[in-house]
Amino acid sequence: MEIFGVPLPAMLSQLLLGLVNGSFYAMLSLGLAVIFGLLNVINFSHGALYMMGAFLAWMGIEYLGLNYWAVLILAPLAVGAFGIVIEKTMLRHLYKLDHLYGLLLTFGITLLVEGVFRSFYGVSGQPFQVPEALAGATDLGFMVMPNYRAWVVVASLVVCLSTWFVIEKTKLGAYLRAGTENPKLVEAFGINVPLMVTLTYGFGVALAGFAGVLAAPIIQVQPLMGQNLIIVVFAVVVIGGMGSILGSILTGLGLGVIEGLTKVFYPEFSSTVVFLVMVVVLLLRPAGLFGKEK
């Protein structure tokens, strides 16, 4: 069976690949949206922290003998702890200043983190084995689906939708949103707003670390793995709307699928289709698809 001259298995495999890429876009852009939406900081170090999560997972398996499931939990926690140190020692002094200062600081952190890992491991990739429980593939009849890629999609959706639910539908999320808009009023109710802000930043960068661990068995772990991805992720955030939690999730998944379909019909255009969509959206709706006009 063919669709527009393309065999169905080939199209479905590209759609799955697009959905996997979209899962990474969604999770990374979600972390950026949480940090920007709640803390008003443009976190350019997100790609480097994504790489750090992958490297810490590789180091946990290689040097400490941990299994995949242990590093899937521990590596994001370590990245989140690193983010908390950054927020408490540097970022919190920039909240009342122009966005440019936060952008420059996080860009400097990116160069520092990438430089440290590059000095120890070079630019060649480190192999990362797929966990035994998720190895192999499942024959669905119309296509063969790698088990690990299916796990990536499911895990990303669960994390993204859980984060959206907590921020948008729970009392904790209401405190977070109120704390960014009127911190003095929230503190009057006995809530420690500075601690809440610190933990929010830690959680946002932990999402990047979690995405890095998920990506490690699919792409080789190397110090520059976050450089190209972060540019696309920023485009996803802009298209969805800066600070929009649901917008970042839906836009990330949707653009991943669009990118996958583009690879089927016009492969040369696949690396730029996201940026074309961004230009069109900004022309028609400058605040993004889900953003609010100010």
Side-chain angles (χ1 to χ4, degrees), residues 216-233:
I218 297 177
I219 58 178
Q220 284 193 320
V221 179
Q222 50 101 357
L224 304 180
M225 63 187 284
Q227 272 192 0
N228 294 330
L229 187 61
I230 194 62
I231 302 300
V232 177
V233 171

Side-chain angles (χ1 to χ4, degrees), residues 200-213:
T200 300
Y201 185 81
F203 175 74
V205 299
L207 286 174
F210 186 77
V213 181

Side-chain angles (χ1 to χ4, degrees), residues 147-289:
N147 294 334
Y148 187 79
R149 297 192 178 218
W151 153 250
V152 167
V153 174
V154 172
S156 299
L157 284 174
V158 169
V159 170
C160 289
L161 293 177
S162 298
T163 302
W164 168 81
F165 180 81
V166 169
I167 292 176
E168 298 292 340
K169 302 295 182 181
T170 66
K171 185 179 290 187
L172 174 61
Y175 287 151
L176 287 172
R177 297 194 305 276
T180 58
E181 294 175 6
N182 196 333
K184 290 184 179 180
L185 178 62
V186 176
E187 284 181 336
F189 287 93
I191 296 170
N192 189 337
V193 173
L195 176 62
M196 194 166 60
V197 168
T198 299
L199 294 178
T200 300
Y201 185 81
F203 175 74
V205 299
L207 286 174
F210 186 77
V213 181
L214 288 180
I218 297 177
I219 58 178
Q220 284 193 320
V221 179
Q222 50 101 357
L224 304 180
M225 63 187 284
Q227 272 192 0
N228 294 330
L229 187 61
I230 194 62
I231 302 300
V232 177
V233 171
F234 266 107
V236 171
V237 173
V238 171
I239 293 168
M242 292 294 285
S244 173
I245 307 298
L246 185 60
S248 64
I249 298 171
L250 297 179
T251 305
L253 292 170
L255 287 175
V257 171
I258 291 172
E259 192 178 64
L261 287 174
T262 307
K263 287 179 180 177
V264 174
F265 295 106
Y266 194 45
E268 298 85 356
F269 190 54
S270 61
S271 60
T272 57
V273 65
V274 171
F275 302 102
L276 177 64
V277 173
M278 181 180 72
V279 171
V280 173
V281 168
L282 289 179
L283 286 173
L284 299 177
R285 189 174 169 79
L289 295 176

Side-chain angles (χ1 to χ4, degrees), residues 1-191:
M1 182 179 176
E2 294 185 351
I3 299 177
F4 300 114
V6 178
L8 182 61
M11 177 172 285
L12 291 175
S13 65
Q14 284 299 328
L15 276 175
L16 176 62
L17 181 60
L19 199 55
V20 171
N21 289 338
S23 299
F24 292 129
Y25 296 162
M27 197 174 309
L28 286 168
S29 62
L30 173 63
L32 283 174
V34 167
I35 292 170
F36 182 81
L38 299 178
L39 308 185
N40 222 21
V41 172
I42 301 174
N43 186 36
F44 202 83
S45 62
H46 222 60
L49 297 173
Y50 159 80
M51 175 272 295
M52 181 187 282
F55 253 109
L56 291 178
W58 176 81
M59 292 164 69
I61 292 173
E62 189 74 13
Y63 299 143
L64 302 179
L66 301 174
N67 61 30
Y68 171 82
W69 305 105
V71 297
L72 184 64
I73 297 172
L74 295 177
L77 289 177
V79 174
F82 179 70
I84 286 173
V85 172
I86 291 173
E87 196 280 335
K88 288 183 75 69
T89 58
M90 291 178 273
L91 264 181
R92 66 169 44 188
H93 304 293
L94 305 179
Y95 289 147
K96 295 181 180 180
L97 302 178
D98 190 89
H99 293 317
L100 181 61
Y101 291 94
L103 179 62
L104 290 174
L105 173 64
T106 53
F107 179 67
I109 292 170
T110 296
L111 297 179
L112 179 63
V113 171
E114 289 180 351
V116 168
F117 280 96
R118 192 164 59 240
S119 67
F120 281 100
Y121 299 102
V123 294
S124 58
Q126 308 294 334
F128 195 113
Q129 296 297 320
V130 172
E132 191 173 330
L134 299 172
T138 301
D139 188 354
L140 300 178
F142 53 89
M143 68 173 291
V144 176
M145 181 174 64
N147 294 334
Y148 187 79
R149 297 192 178 218
W151 153 250
V152 167
V153 174
V154 172
S156 299
L157 284 174
V158 169
V159 170
C160 289
L161 293 177
S162 298
T163 302
W164 168 81
F165 180 81
V166 169
I167 292 176
E168 298 292 340
K169 302 295 182 181
T170 66
K171 185 179 290 187
L172 174 61
Y175 287 151
L176 287 172
R177 297 194 305 276
T180 58
E181 294 175 6
N182 196 333
K184 290 184 179 180
L185 178 62
V186 176
E187 284 181 336
F189 287 93
I191 296 170

